[in-house]
Amino acid sequence: MSVDDRPRVAIYARCSAQKQAEKDLSIPAQLDAARARAKQEGWLVYREFIDEAKSGRSDDRTKFQEMIALARQRPRPFDLIAVWKFSRFTRNREHSILYKRMLQRAGVRVVSLNEPVDDSASGRLLEGILESMDEFYSENLAEDTARGMRKNASQGYRNGGRTPFGYQRKATGNSVSPKVVLETHPENGPVVQRMARMVLDGSGAASIARTLNHEGITTATGKSWTTQGVLNVLRNEVYAGVYVFGKSTKRTRDGEPIPPVRVENAHPALVTAQDF
């Protein structure tokens, strides 16, 4: 067989946003396995596509989308797409059906290095079962993660996000189960308290912004204060010691909205509840 007649393969490797503890799920391990398989089968490696820190449930993956677009070109640049497991391709059953049909029309087949599935009726059935199991695992993991984050928030611990002006992050807990809480920033905390006093004395947000800028006091990112920036501080109940997590419009499988977690006295208040 000449070089030009060898099946051309695109290698796709992905590491999801969740930490992959297993060594065989690391991107280098996925690539090594795919290269070895290509050498064994006599495939010609066309190109390697890598997406890092993206969810397998989302099709917002830059290299994945580039690979799919190339596969649909005429003449097609490759005949196969090699992945470590079908879950690396996508964990969303609907997406999998959509993209594989699209690739099938283009004459491109997805090959799992770790799940030997042939192109027969029984092989396609097995492939569908594997994909359904991957989707279940992904959904279950997402639910467990969300549940853990809500429990963490209910105890007053931060789940990430931008640190509010006037506060700083403080690590607590232990190395096995680290936690993060807010504590007053020694320089910016008093600025927030001063802003609150200025409001109580009758000053408006625009006036407060001008005063802070005139004195060279900047925001947490080193920028000048704007009226809206001051209003964002004055209207944020975090400064009254309240931590709210999960404000987005997340819903249950039944479509019911999931209420946010709201914790009073989660951290030192810079403004009393009455003044706020």
Side-chain angles (χ1 to χ4, degrees), residues 44-268:
L44 179 64
V45 176
Y46 165 73
R47 184 175 160 189
E48 296 174 351
F49 298 85
I50 301 171
D51 278 316
E52 296 188 61
K54 293 287 184 179
S55 168
R57 292 177 51 76
S58 170
D59 60 357
D60 182 21
R61 291 176 278 160
T62 305
K63 293 302 179 181
F64 178 86
Q65 293 297 336
E66 181 182 354
M67 178 180 66
I68 296 297
L70 285 171
R72 301 179 67 190
Q73 290 184 356
R74 289 290 180 270
R76 66 174 183 271
F78 50 86
D79 312 292
L80 305 169
I81 294 176
V83 293
W84 172 245
K85 287 185 177 181
F86 289 122
S87 61
R88 300 298 88 194
F89 185 73
T90 178
R91 279 201 177 117
N92 184 294
R93 178 68 172 143
E94 184 178 350
H95 288 172
S96 179
I97 294 173
L98 172 67
Y99 285 118
K100 285 183 178 177
R101 283 181 178 173
M102 190 185 301
L103 292 170
Q104 187 178 32
R105 288 194 292 268
V108 177
R109 185 164 61 94
V110 180
V111 177
S112 170
L113 304 177
N114 210 43
E115 298 156 325
V117 176
D118 57 37
D119 193 26
S120 63
S122 59
R124 287 189 291 273
L125 174 61
L126 175 58
E127 184 176 337
I129 293 173
L130 291 171
E131 290 172 342
S132 296
M133 291 174 63
D134 286 334
E135 184 175 45
F136 168 78
Y137 167 80
S138 180
E139 290 183 351
N140 196 55
L141 179 62
E143 290 177 357
D144 287 346
T145 300
R147 192 158 40 244
M149 293 178 72
R150 288 179 65 85
K151 180 179 179 180
N152 195 57
S154 68
Q155 297 172 342
Y157 299 122
R158 307 290 292 185
N159 283 316
R162 181 179 298 177
T163 303
F165 178 83
Y167 288 105
Q168 59 188 13
R169 299 165 70 87
K170 177 184 178 182
T172 184
N174 52 56
S175 58
V176 177
S177 181
K179 304 291 184 179
V180 175
V181 295
L182 292 182
E183 65 178 6
T184 304
H185 190 285
E187 297 178 1
N188 296 339
V191 174
V192 173
Q193 293 172 325
R194 180 185 174 193
M195 293 166 69
R197 288 196 301 269
M198 292 173 72
V199 170
L200 294 174
D201 290 339
S203 297
S207 175
I208 294 174
R210 285 194 299 270
T211 299
L212 296 178
N213 292 332
H214 178 72
E215 296 178 6
I217 299 174
T218 62
T219 66
T221 57
K223 297 180 180 180
S224 298
W225 285 95
T226 63
T227 300
Q228 187 59 51
V230 172
L231 288 173
N232 289 341
V233 170
L234 298 175
R235 294 171 176 171
N236 193 342
E237 61 180 340
V238 70
Y239 298 106
V242 179
Y243 177 33
V244 180
F245 172 75
K247 290 183 179 180
S248 61
T249 56
K250 289 186 178 297
R251 295 180 177 274
T252 64
R253 292 184 178 183
D254 297 329
E256 295 297 322
I258 301 176
V261 176
R262 190 173 188 277
V263 183
E264 305 275 353
N265 302 314
H267 49 264

